[in-house]
Every structure is written in structure tokens, then in C-alpha cells.
Amino acid sequence: SLILGEGQTAPQMFDLLVHIFILQGKAQGLDLIVAGLKASRATEADGAFCAEDKLVDEYRRLFIGPAQKPAPPWGSVYTDREQVIFGESTLRLRSWMRQHGIARLADDRMPDDHIGLMLSLLATLTEERPELVEEYLSEHLLPWAPHYLGLLEVCAEHPFYKGLALLTKATLKGAQDELSLVVIEPRFYR
């Protein structure tokens, strides 16, 4: 089992990242994150506290729209020539999940290759199906996630999301190194 830092297990870290990527847009999760930021005395350049509405606005700008998303959270947007959601990489992931009897984590409207869903699946696999973790990481998550997270880091205007990108990227790199995984990087179209 992967152990990260002060006795924190990989599933715990991945669950934390999932909650930030998926639940950030929902008010019930945001108050906990804001409380954590306040406790750490996070500030903006002018010394003011990073207001909750700025986090929500940045979440919407990065992940929801209505404008073009600067860092879309779906793998197929980066790895498929057409740069679409529900692309070939999404279909490969769904097929892999079916082969291994893994239930989908969202409804049909949400592509399975959303970074938050993929981190959630990783957390589940590390606890319930550890024999599948290496294959999942090397074939489905790690080929595109570092590229995406680098883009998120560059595109994020709020330090919270820059930090989230760095933390997630470092966590995945740590898992890759710990497991000695060789990952073949695909051609990126975005």
C-alpha cells in the first residue's frame, strides 16, 4: 500500500484531491476549504484574504464555463485529435472498467476521464483492488494527467488552484516513482 508523508495513505490523499476537484463548485464543500485557507492565513497579493466568491468564480472559469475552459478536466480533450469529451481515451477507460467489473462513478452525462472521477477511482482501487493500480495509473491516468496539471498550474489565476495543480502533480509523481512505473506519453492536441 502506498504511504505518503506523515502516515497518510494514498487513498486519503486521493480522496482529498477528489473533493477539491469535484465538490469545489458546491457550497457545502467550499466552506471547509475556505476555513482551511483562513486557518493557514492565505492571502492575496494585496494582503486581503482570498474571498470565497473568488474561489467559486475561479472554479467556474477553469472547469465550468460558460466561456471556453482554459484547463478542461477531461483526458480526451488532450489526447484525442478532435479535442472532445467522450473521446477515444474515455471509451478505452470505460472498456477497461467493464473488463474489471468496476462500476461507473458518475451518470452518463459525466465523462469517466474527468480528473476528479479518475482520482476517486484511484482511491477506490488502492483500497479495494490494489492489483489494478499500476495498470490504471500507467495506461489511463498518468499518460495525460501531468500534462493537464501543468496546464492548470499555468492557467490558474488563483493561488489555490495553482497549489492544487502542484499538489496533485507531485502526488501522482510520487506514486509513479514509488511503483517504478514507465508511462508512455501520448501526443497532446491541446
Side-chain angles (χ1 to χ4, degrees):
S1 147
L2 291 172
I3 304 294
L4 306 170
E6 306 268 323
Q8 185 170 28
T9 65
Q12 291 168 328
M13 177 57 85
F14 297 133
D15 277 339
L16 169 66
L17 297 172
V18 167
H19 280 87
I20 295 170
F21 273 106
I22 293 180
L23 299 178
Q24 176 63 27
K26 297 184 173 104
Q28 70 234 35
L30 186 59
D31 58 342
L32 297 174
I33 294 168
V34 171
L37 287 171
K38 283 182 182 174
S40 69
R41 295 184 173 84
T43 60
E44 295 180 341
D46 65 2
F49 172 69
C50 301
E52 179 179 334
D53 60 338
K54 290 185 180 181
L55 277 174
V56 172
D57 290 346
E58 179 71 341
Y59 181 87
R60 288 182 181 139
R61 185 184 75 80
L62 289 169
F63 305 120
I64 296 174
Q68 182 177 4
K69 296 165 203 58
W74 304 283
S76 59
V77 170
Y78 303 98
T79 61
D80 291 352
R81 183 182 314 273
E82 296 82 21
Q83 300 179 31
V84 295
I85 61 173
F86 292 107
E88 182 60 35
S89 62
T90 309
L91 300 178
R92 277 195 313 276
L93 175 59
R94 280 188 179 177
S95 174
W96 183 85
M97 291 170 69
R98 274 193 307 276
Q99 274 182 330
H100 295 287
I102 299 169
R104 295 195 58 226
L105 300 175
D107 62 31
D108 288 337
R109 294 174 291 155
M110 174 69 83
D112 296 295
D113 64 345
H114 182 286
I115 187 72
L117 293 177
M118 292 191 76
L119 290 170
S120 180
L121 179 54
L122 180 57
T124 300
L125 292 174
T126 57
E127 288 187 313
E128 298 175 12
R129 307 275 302 269
E131 72 279 7
L132 297 177
V133 168
E134 290 183 26
E135 181 181 359
Y136 176 71
L137 281 169
S138 62
E139 292 183 18
H140 298 286
L141 183 57
L142 290 176
W144 71 273
H147 174 82
Y148 158 71
L149 294 164
L151 181 63
L152 178 60
E153 179 188 352
V154 169
C155 293
E157 295 173 359
H158 196 290
F160 178 82
Y161 290 103
K162 287 185 184 296
L164 174 62
L166 288 168
L167 174 63
T168 307
K169 194 172 181 179
T171 301
L172 291 175
K173 176 71 171 133
Q176 180 180 358
D177 292 348
E178 178 73 23
L179 297 170
S180 301
L181 297 177
V182 175
V183 177
I184 298 171
E185 188 175 279
R187 177 175 178 194
F188 295 112
Y189 295 95
R190 179 174 177 158

